[in-house]
Amino acid sequence: MPLVNTKEMLQKAYEGGYAVGAFNVNDMEIVQGITEACSELKAPVILQVSAGARKYANHTYLVKLVEAAVKENPDVPMALHLDHGPSFELCKACIDGGFTSVMFDGSSKPYEENVEEARRVVEYAHKYNVTVEAELGKLAGIEDDVQVGDDDAQFTDPGEVQDFVTRTGVDSLAIAIGTSHGAYKFKPGQQPKLRLDILQEVASRLPGFPIVLHGASSVLPEFVEMVNQYGGKMPDAIGIPEEMLREAAKMAVCKINVDSDIRLAMTGVIRKYMFEHPDHFDPRQYLGAARTAVKDMVAHKINVVLGCAGKA
């Protein structure tokens, strides 16, 4: 099965009351771990690449890694997606370079500028059967080149969504309902909460339209503890409770982004491995353990949060 765009997989997710996982990829071990889990659980998947990942690993290397995953897992529907594309030029480069889906992130721009740029990306992308995601509202936190302080974060205004989708023609919409980028989503003592009322209002204004959650890692405590136990320093790392994400996936949320949880799993396992095997120096040993950690994390997300096992 060749790479697909996200249109059909997200439509099926909406109708089926589940979400598709969108996992950020940076290297071979991450790609392998994600796609092996999806193959075993027969789950569709979106492999997404941030602007920072393109700088780190090179566009061509990442595309070829994903093409290899497609060849090795022919029964898994896979989309290759640009995460947080800040400009038309970057979106165009990824479309021209083999991506099947792009996100234009104009959330930091004035509303009319966001509309205009998103529409420009859609007009180009749709000529090549590439789907487009855009964003309304601002998520707090840090992810690669995306940095938004708490004071600048804004919930999505449900009153804008119809106008935005109609005028731009985007295929999916990322909204801000309380998630945030990175591993420090809430302050100690603060009660984690998602504004499911905003999600419900958006869904009522856009019936049948796929909604996306960014910054949706749960920052599982066992991996934070593992990082800290073996020499790391991540005090007060707190994420989104998985039961809240599952509830959102039963509603209009069809795509849930996961990045920090994969990073934590890899880092925790590598720290533990190196502590327990101080004489080892072959990268294949600790990276192999990290790859297994990615696979297990993705399988956990598919079963507990996304609900997309068997949906390939």
Side-chain angles (χ1 to χ4, degrees):
M1 179 186 301
L3 281 169
V4 300
N5 64 32
T6 62
K7 196 170 188 66
E8 184 177 353
M9 65 168 64
L10 296 189
Q11 181 181 353
K12 288 181 176 179
Y14 195 104
E15 294 169 354
Y18 62 88
V20 177
F23 301 98
N24 285 70
V25 299
N26 300 280
D27 58 29
M28 182 185 76
E29 286 76 18
I30 294 175
V31 171
Q32 289 175 329
I34 293 168
T35 54
E36 286 173 13
C38 291
S39 181
E40 289 184 10
L41 293 174
K42 296 178 170 51
V45 67
I46 299 166
L47 301 176
Q48 57 185 27
V49 173
S50 66
R54 287 179 84 247
K55 292 176 186 176
Y56 170 77
N58 183 287
H59 176 103
T60 303
Y61 281 105
L62 289 169
V63 170
K64 293 305 179 183
L65 284 171
V66 172
E67 288 177 357
V70 170
K71 186 174 181 178
E72 291 296 314
N73 303 278
D75 297 326
V76 176
M78 293 185 204
L80 177 55
H81 176 76
L82 170 65
D83 189 26
H84 289 290
S87 66
F88 171 82
E89 289 73 23
L90 180 56
C91 291
K92 180 180 182 299
C94 288
I95 294 165
D96 295 345
F99 282 51
T100 57
S101 181
V102 296
M103 179 210 181
F104 168 69
D105 184 0
S107 59
S108 63
K109 304 176 186 295
Y111 179 78
E112 287 298 327
E113 191 175 337
N114 190 2
V115 168
E116 204 55 44
E117 283 287 290
R119 180 167 56 198
R120 186 182 175 203
V121 173
V122 168
E123 288 173 352
Y124 187 81
H126 283 183
K127 291 191 295 185
Y128 299 96
N129 197 31
V130 172
T131 41
V132 179
E133 172 189 328
E135 182 169 338
L136 275 180
K138 294 182 184 178
L139 272 67
I142 300 173
E143 182 184 19
D144 287 347
D145 296 333
V146 180
Q147 299 187 30
V148 178
D150 290 341
D151 293 341
D152 293 324
Q154 298 174 2
F155 288 118
T156 298
D157 180 358
E160 293 179 340
V161 296
Q162 283 173 301
D163 177 73
F164 186 86
V165 169
T166 300
R167 291 172 62 190
T168 61
V170 295
D171 303 287
S172 60
L173 185 67
I175 64 172
I177 61 171
T179 59
S180 64
H181 293 120
Y184 302 89
K185 302 181 188 297
F186 299 97
K187 294 180 174 63
Q190 183 181 5
Q191 185 67 30
K193 182 181 180 182
L194 291 186
R195 290 290 304 274
L196 296 179
D197 57 321
I198 294 178
L199 173 58
Q200 187 60 54
E201 178 65 18
V202 169
S204 70
R205 293 171 180 262
L206 295 172
F209 191 82
I211 301 301
V212 176
L213 284 188
H214 285 243
S217 284
S218 295
V219 190
L220 297 175
E222 57 262 41
F223 288 104
V224 175
E225 291 169 10
M226 188 183 296
V227 168
N228 292 335
Q229 180 181 352
Y230 294 102
K233 191 175 181 181
M234 296 189 67
D236 307 327
I238 302 172
I240 310 295
E242 293 186 326
E243 61 271 17
M244 292 184 183
L245 297 170
R246 184 72 193 100
E247 190 62 31
K250 293 177 182 177
M251 300 167 66
V253 171
C254 302
K255 173 178 178 278
I256 292 180
N257 290 13
V258 179
D259 187 10
S260 293
D261 279 337
I262 288 177
R263 297 182 185 192
L264 273 172
M266 292 187 77
T267 300
V269 166
I270 289 173
R271 282 187 174 276
K272 182 174 185 289
Y273 186 94
M274 296 183 120
F275 179 85
E276 294 176 346
H277 304 278
D279 57 322
H280 288 187
F281 63 93
D282 185 344
R284 292 172 297 183
Q285 294 170 316
Y286 54 83
L287 290 178
R291 177 173 57 193
T292 299
V294 172
K295 180 179 177 180
D296 292 344
M297 174 62 73
V298 171
H300 170 81
K301 293 295 180 181
I302 289 169
N303 288 320
V304 175
V305 176
L306 303 167
C308 61
K311 304 300 183 181

